[in-house]
Amino acid sequence: MRIQLNGEPFELPDNQSVADLLVRLDLTGRRVAVELNLDIVPRSQHETTLLAEGDQVEVVHAIGGG
C-alpha cells in the first residue's frame, strides 16, 4: 500500500501498524511523535493502530528542552 510519510510517497505491505512502520524506519525505541491523518497516535497505541492506503503520517523526533 502507499501512504504519505512526512509529505513523501512511501510504500509498505498491507496490514502494517504504526509500530511496524517505526521498525522499518529504524526508529524503534527512539523518542518520536507520530501523527496519523492530523491526529497524534499515543505510544501506547502504536501496536494496534493499523495504517491504510492513502494515510498521511508525520513522524517527528521529540526534542526535550528547557
Side-chain angles (χ1 to χ4, degrees), residues 1-62:
M1 82 178 134
R2 181 174 282 212
I3 64 170
Q4 288 287 316
L5 176 62
N6 294 342
E8 300 291 329
F10 190 83
E11 294 277 345
L12 69 162
D14 291 342
N15 299 316
Q16 297 288 288
S17 68
V18 169
D20 296 326
L21 176 63
L22 294 177
V23 168
R24 285 182 155 276
L25 298 174
D26 196 27
L27 294 174
T28 303
R30 299 211 182 156
R31 292 184 56 158
V32 296
V34 179
E35 183 181 277
L36 174 59
N37 300 322
L38 304 177
D39 290 319
I40 297 293
V41 180
R43 183 180 299 266
S44 63
Q45 295 177 14
H46 286 184
E47 287 284 338
T48 58
T49 301
L50 295 179
L51 300 170
E53 180 78 26
D55 277 347
Q56 295 184 23
V57 181
E58 296 288 328
V59 178
V60 294
H61 292 272

